[in-house]
Amino acid sequence: MLQSYRGFSRDAKLVVVYSFLAWLGGNIAWFILPFYYSSLGMSFSQIGVIFSISTLVQAVTLLGSGYISVKIGYRRTILAAVGIFFIARLFQVFIPEFWSFALASVLLGIGMALEGPAVMSLLSEEASDERRHYLFSLNAALGTIGAALGMYLGGLLPKMLDGSNPYKMTLLFVALLVPIQGFFIFMVSPVLKREEKKLRFERELVIKIAKFSLPSALIGLGAGVTIPYMGLWFNKRFGTSLESIGGLFAIQQFVMGIGTFTLPMIADKVGSVKTIVGFNGSATLLILLLPFSPSFPIAAAIYTIRTILMNIVNPIWDSFMMRFFTKEERSTAVALRNFSWTTTFGIGQLIGGKIFDLSLVMPFFVTGILYGLSMISFWMLFSKEE
């Protein structure tokens, strides 16, 4: 198995290290921000507004980010995103006001829209079609392990750091990580041949992008309703401590990271479509069971298994998608697919914040139904492609 993960280029390894550090810092921030905002007296609905600003701005920017990355190059695009991330984190740390958080969310949305398609396109050039799902899985696996460490540190650092608001100090730590991750992209060779040619939007291309965008949009909407609020849900539903929640998220991310290494072999045997539908479909059933958990340990076990099943197939999904697009189409196709997910995720965050203010149970039913519809549509669109 390990032999399949050897022999990748120096630039591929630099991108993988970048992903590890980006997921590390990003998940510390993702975990801590709801608690940081809550400590400042913000409600679920207000937190939902802040989160949705970021995702909606990201969605709008994704409409042009593929073109931008082609115009200035993938490496420069990612470095620009890193600079934007750094400024946004400084706003969150040093100006704890609603308008500042909103501005930071705008910047983060722009940065994520620039970063995502550029990283995927840069990475896709570093492996053949036959080995691409192994490189994507390696990148996702180490990134997820970085996320696990980030979740753990998100729960641990506030207890270790002094100050009137330890959440703020934790975010400062995240801000200082940003230039370090940028260094590894700076070391990537700026090879001109990686830049794509001018893309023509023909009917066939639009249809292909739309087929991948529909299932992604349904998943994004469902995820937005519940996932950003899970830490606060555990706290309010069971009175779980911040440290315990961080530990739970860290364990599930770590297990998912290790498991990601095995997914290419499963996809090789049963096919990418069956792998995606089987894993995501099982996760859908578990999200429906989660609100009926009688205790934190049971809820933690269900949520951990659900998260692993739902997210472990992402690199298989990405690699499967790349088969349908030429080198000239990939960056724009990824950007528009991400646009569909991000737009609905932002809408879901707004809806979820309002529903959670009314009920701690109903959001999970909404998410489960949307996940189920996503898998039905994906199977109908791609079951005959393998």
Side-chain angles (χ1 to χ4, degrees):
M1 181 179 77
L2 293 178
Q3 186 66 33
S4 300
Y5 290 98
R6 294 176 180 170
F8 293 119
S9 68
R10 169 184 173 273
D11 284 350
K13 294 173 184 176
L14 287 170
V15 175
V16 169
V17 174
Y18 169 84
S19 295
F20 173 83
L21 293 173
W23 286 41
L24 169 66
N27 277 271
I28 294 175
W30 179 87
F31 178 82
I32 211 69
L33 277 173
F35 296 96
Y36 179 40
Y37 295 151
S38 183
S39 73
L40 298 174
M42 295 172 62
S43 67
F44 272 111
S45 296
Q46 289 175 310
I47 295 171
V49 170
I50 293 294
F51 286 161
S52 64
I53 289 173
S54 176
T55 48
L56 292 176
V57 169
Q58 181 183 0
V60 173
T61 309
L62 279 166
L63 291 174
S65 64
Y67 172 79
I68 293 171
S69 65
V70 170
K71 192 71 174 177
I72 69 174
Y74 302 141
R75 175 176 170 271
R76 289 181 180 177
T77 301
I78 300 169
L79 288 174
V82 168
I84 293 170
F85 291 149
F86 185 61
I87 295 171
R89 296 302 180 199
L90 294 181
F91 271 106
Q92 289 175 328
V93 171
F94 293 109
I95 310 178
E97 302 287 345
F98 187 88
W99 70 265
S100 178
F101 297 147
L103 178 58
S105 290
V106 170
L107 293 173
L108 289 170
I110 294 172
M112 288 185 290
L114 294 173
E115 177 198 45
V119 169
M120 292 291 293
S121 299
L122 185 61
L123 203 61
S124 69
E125 293 302 307
E126 296 297 334
S128 63
D129 289 344
E130 294 74 21
R131 298 196 66 203
R132 186 176 293 115
H133 58 312
Y134 284 95
L135 179 56
F136 278 28
S137 294
L138 175 64
N139 184 65
L142 293 183
T144 305
I145 292 172
L149 181 57
M151 296 290 190
Y152 178 74
L153 290 175
L156 183 65
L157 286 175
K159 289 184 174 294
M160 298 175 58
L161 298 173
D162 295 326
S164 58
N165 192 323
Y167 304 126
K168 181 186 297 188
M169 298 301 295
T170 303
L171 283 174
L172 179 60
F173 175 79
V174 172
L176 296 177
L177 277 178
V178 175
I180 298 175
Q181 72 189 55
F183 171 77
F184 287 92
I185 287 296
F186 180 78
M187 295 295 292
V188 172
S189 303
V191 181
L192 292 178
K193 69 179 182 179
R194 287 179 176 149
E195 298 183 9
E196 299 175 354
K197 300 175 183 178
K198 186 176 181 179
L199 184 65
R200 296 176 61 186
F201 275 95
E202 298 179 349
R203 182 174 179 271
E204 183 181 356
L205 174 60
V206 173
I207 291 174
K208 285 193 295 183
I209 295 174
K211 288 171 67 176
F212 280 98
S213 296
L214 175 59
S216 293
L218 291 168
I219 288 180
L221 185 59
V225 169
T226 56
I227 303 307
Y229 306 103
M230 285 307 303
L232 281 176
W233 182 80
F234 280 117
N235 179 260
K236 293 185 180 294
R237 175 72 170 77
F238 302 109
T240 311
S241 69
L242 185 68
E243 190 172 6
S244 296
I245 297 170
L248 166 65
F249 288 176
I251 290 171
Q252 71 185 22
Q253 292 289 324
F254 180 76
V255 174
M256 186 163 62
I258 298 300
T260 301
F261 284 108
T262 66
L263 259 292
M265 277 72 76
I266 296 176
D268 284 344
K269 290 183 179 180
V270 305
S272 297
V273 175
K274 290 181 180 178
T275 302
I276 292 167
V277 172
F279 278 71
N280 282 179
S282 300
T284 299
L285 296 176
L286 291 176
I287 199 73
L288 293 170
L289 294 175
L290 187 58
F292 301 106
S293 305
S295 64
F296 173 69
I298 294 176
I302 293 174
Y303 183 65
T304 297
I305 298 171
R306 181 233 75 108
T307 302
I308 292 170
L309 291 173
M310 195 70 198
N311 296 317
I312 199 172
V313 293
N314 286 344
I316 304 301
W317 191 314
D318 292 336
S319 180
F320 176 73
M321 177 180 173
M322 289 297 175
R323 300 181 198 172
F324 293 80
F325 299 95
T326 66
K327 177 181 176 181
E328 290 75 26
E329 298 169 345
R330 285 171 184 162
S331 180
T332 298
V334 170
L336 294 179
R337 192 277 308 267
N338 290 354
F339 167 79
S340 69
W341 186 94
T342 305
T343 302
T344 54
F345 185 77
I347 295 170
Q349 286 176 313
L350 279 173
I351 297 172
K354 294 183 180 298
I355 298 177
F356 268 115
D357 275 335
L358 300 174
S359 169
L360 294 179
V361 174
M362 286 303 298
F364 296 95
F365 288 103
V366 176
T367 296
I369 291 171
L370 291 167
Y371 280 179
L373 291 174
S374 171
M375 287 302 97
I376 291 171
S377 65
F378 186 80
W379 179 259
M380 292 176 63
L381 291 168
F382 298 109
S383 61
K384 295 181 180 180
E385 296 293 344
E386 290 185 322

